């Protein structure tokens, strides 16, 4: 019954994705819109070449159009150049081989190795597959004359223009939501990890706890990589996009310099959790810090969690209860407390034996670098 359970799971996932696409904006909605645009582009390309023009191989036009409704207008343009180039190469090579050999099978044996190799060339990306498939179409249908090859190229060009036009003029894609989602996710998950570590300092942590913290810190590193990729998609969305000014974009994105700060914070969190794991367990490679160091360390981590505020957080939204302050104001209050607790932690290093001072000094160094990375720009004196 495992296959049935798997099928039910896939069905439930499809249903959830469909509901999200209908209910509101998001990646599912974007996928739905792009899919409908690709289908519409293919139908329009067929109507032009197959119904109106009556082209001998009108299939080439919708085939090209559906492949060129890409995730950005810029990518559609680049893919169009690649596609026309490989289709032209495949068609001309197939026609030449057929004329030289006079036998379809021999021509395939000569052409396909070359076109498949071309298709695997990374310069052409996913469009490289069109070189051998075009050669197969040309040879299988026997359309190897100069006029036939010209038809193939013209049909492809029409499909490409239709695909690019539909993608650029009908809800042109602009990728901003993924960047905002990652920028909100990073501080939230970092704060959760810091609070979990602070709680562990209160009750005394085990090596298994530190290993779990390290895994979560590595997960943050994956979010950083996803953020960099989303930034790239966002920048590409505006290139050659005639309709991006008409789309609702919301507030401007925070500058990419802040991404580097989160990257540094994540790096120091990974180092800190690895150090804490190495100083715990039955056979630690580092001497564990004394229990009197855990209290200020926990305070540093707890206050550092309060410093982690999403970039979209309001400056002064009242918190629940009297005297509440906004998230940004709480961050400003937490920073001095974090540095005060860090000063108490640093003062303990000089009173320790060399082995304990080694591990505690590493903790002090990593938490100091972590606080520097979490500080908002322009607040450091």
């Amino acid at each position: 019954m495992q296959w049935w359970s798997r099928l039910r799971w896939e069905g439930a996932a499809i249903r959830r994705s469909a509901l999200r696409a209908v209910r509101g904006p998001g990646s599912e909605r974007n996928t739905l819109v792009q899919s409908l645009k690709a289908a519409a582009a293919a139908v329009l390309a067929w109507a032009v070449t197959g119904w109106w023009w009556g082209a001998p191989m009108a299939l080439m036009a919708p085939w090209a159009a559906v492949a060129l409704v890409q995730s950005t207008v810029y990518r559609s343009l680049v893919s169009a150049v690649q596609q026309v180039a490989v289709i032209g190469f495949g068609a001309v090579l197939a026609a030449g081989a057929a004329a030289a050999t006079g036998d379809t099978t021999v021509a395939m044996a000569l052409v396909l190795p070359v076109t498949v190799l071309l298709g695997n060339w990374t310069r052409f990306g996913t469009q490289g597959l069109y070189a051998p498939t075009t050669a197969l179409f040309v040879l299988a249908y026997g359309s190897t004359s100069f006029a036939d090859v010209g038809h193939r190229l013209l049909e492809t060009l029409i499909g490409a223009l239709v695909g690019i036009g539909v993608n650029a003029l009908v809800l042109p894609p602009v990728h901003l939501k993924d960047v905002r989602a990652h920028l909100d996710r990073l501080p939230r998950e970092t704060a959760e990890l810091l609070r979990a570590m602070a709680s562990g300092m209160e009750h005394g942590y085990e090596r298994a706890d530190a290993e779990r913290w390290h895994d979560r810190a590595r997960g943050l590193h994956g979010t950083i990589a996803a953020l960099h990729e989303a930034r790239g998609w966002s920048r590409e969305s505006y290139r050659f996009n005639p309709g991006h000014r008409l789309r609702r974009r919301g507030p401007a994105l925070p500058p990419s310099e802040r991404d580097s700060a989160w990257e540094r914070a994540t790096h120091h969190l990974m180092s800190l959790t690895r150090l804490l794991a190495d100083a715990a367990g039955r056979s630690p490679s580092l001497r564990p810090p004394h229990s009197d160091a855990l209290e200020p360390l926990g305070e540093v981590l707890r206050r550092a969690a309060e410093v982690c505020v999403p970039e979209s957080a309001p400056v002064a939204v009242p918190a629940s209860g009297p005297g509440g302050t906004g998230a940004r104001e709480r961050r400003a209050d937490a920073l001095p407390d974090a540095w005060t607790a860090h000063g108490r932690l640093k003062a303990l290093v000089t009173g320790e034996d060399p082995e304990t001072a080694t591990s505690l000094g590493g903790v002090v160094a990593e938490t100091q670098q972590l606080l520097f990375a979490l500080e908002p720009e322009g607040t450091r004196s």
Side-chain angles (χ1 to χ4, degrees):
M1 293 295 293
Q2 290 183 352
W3 66 271
W4 176 245
S5 299
R6 180 68 180 178
L7 188 61
R8 290 179 60 188
W9 184 88
E10 291 286 353
I14 293 172
R15 180 176 177 273
R16 289 193 299 269
S17 296
L19 289 175
R20 284 194 292 266
V22 172
R23 288 172 179 169
S27 58
E28 292 84 2
R29 171 73 65 83
N30 293 340
T31 300
L32 175 62
V33 170
Q34 289 299 101
S35 299
L36 294 176
K37 286 168 58 177
V43 172
L44 181 59
W46 173 263
V48 171
T49 56
W51 174 70
W52 179 69
W53 182 25
M57 196 180 291
L59 169 67
M60 299 295 291
W63 188 35
V66 75
L68 293 180
V69 180
Q70 297 281 329
S71 49
T72 65
V73 176
Y74 169 78
R75 198 163 293 262
S76 290
L77 290 167
V78 172
S79 297
V81 173
Q82 295 172 335
Q83 188 183 88
V84 171
V86 296
I87 285 177
F89 181 82
V92 170
L93 193 61
T101 62
D103 186 275
T104 301
T105 303
V106 175
M108 283 187 181
L110 293 174
V111 170
L112 288 181
V114 179
T115 53
V116 170
L117 282 173
L118 177 69
N120 289 321
W121 191 16
T122 55
R123 290 286 185 183
F124 291 111
T126 58
Q127 304 302 318
L129 178 64
Y130 290 98
T133 51
T134 299
L136 282 173
F137 279 140
V138 168
L139 293 172
Y141 280 90
S143 52
T144 57
S145 68
F146 178 79
D148 290 334
V149 171
H151 265 289
R152 299 300 82 76
L153 294 178
L154 185 56
E155 292 153 5
T156 301
L157 185 59
I158 291 173
L161 292 174
V162 170
I164 294 171
V166 169
N167 201 34
L169 300 177
V170 181
L171 296 176
V174 176
H175 298 270
L176 295 177
K177 293 184 178 66
D178 287 345
V179 178
R180 294 194 179 102
H182 290 310
L183 286 173
D184 286 344
R185 179 181 173 187
L186 271 170
R188 183 178 67 253
E189 294 186 352
T190 303
E192 290 172 356
L193 173 56
L194 288 168
R195 282 192 288 267
M197 294 171 66
S199 179
M201 297 305 112
E202 290 179 0
H203 308 293
Y205 74 97
E206 302 291 339
R207 185 182 182 92
D209 298 322
E211 293 285 1
R212 284 193 295 271
W213 299 336
H214 185 66
D215 288 340
R216 291 175 65 176
R218 291 173 61 188
L220 291 174
H221 185 71
T223 304
I224 291 288
L227 173 60
H228 290 326
E229 183 178 2
R231 288 277 192 187
W233 280 108
S234 177
R235 287 190 294 269
E236 189 176 294
S237 294
Y238 290 99
R239 301 178 70 179
F240 305 110
N241 190 335
H244 76 271
R245 296 184 182 276
L246 303 178
R247 303 292 299 277
R248 291 180 297 176
R249 293 174 288 173
L253 293 176
S256 57
E257 288 76 9
R258 192 62 189 154
D259 301 354
S260 300
W262 282 112
E263 189 168 9
R264 293 194 303 272
T266 299
H267 171 75
H268 293 300
L269 261 177
M270 291 174 61
S271 299
L272 176 61
T273 52
R274 182 72 269 164
L275 193 153
L276 292 173
D278 291 339
R282 294 184 177 180
S283 302
S285 57
L286 293 171
R287 183 170 295 179
H290 290 156
S291 57
D292 57 353
L294 297 184
E295 185 275 328
L297 175 57
E299 182 67 11
V300 171
L301 297 172
R302 186 177 301 103
R303 295 301 183 182
E306 297 177 13
V307 176
C308 299
V309 176
E311 300 293 339
S312 59
V315 174
V317 175
S320 58
T325 56
R328 301 289 178 86
E329 293 177 356
R330 289 198 303 273
R331 175 167 67 180
D333 294 338
L335 270 172
D337 294 338
W339 283 115
T340 299
H342 186 270
R344 289 192 286 120
L345 181 66
K346 185 187 293 186
L348 297 175
V349 176
T350 56
E352 299 289 356
D353 61 89
E355 289 298 324
T356 306
T358 298
S359 59
L360 183 57
V363 170
V364 168
E366 293 300 338
T367 50
Q368 179 170 312
Q369 293 292 84
L370 174 64
L371 291 178
F372 275 134
L374 292 177
E375 279 190 350
E377 293 294 329
T379 60
R380 191 182 310 174
S381 59

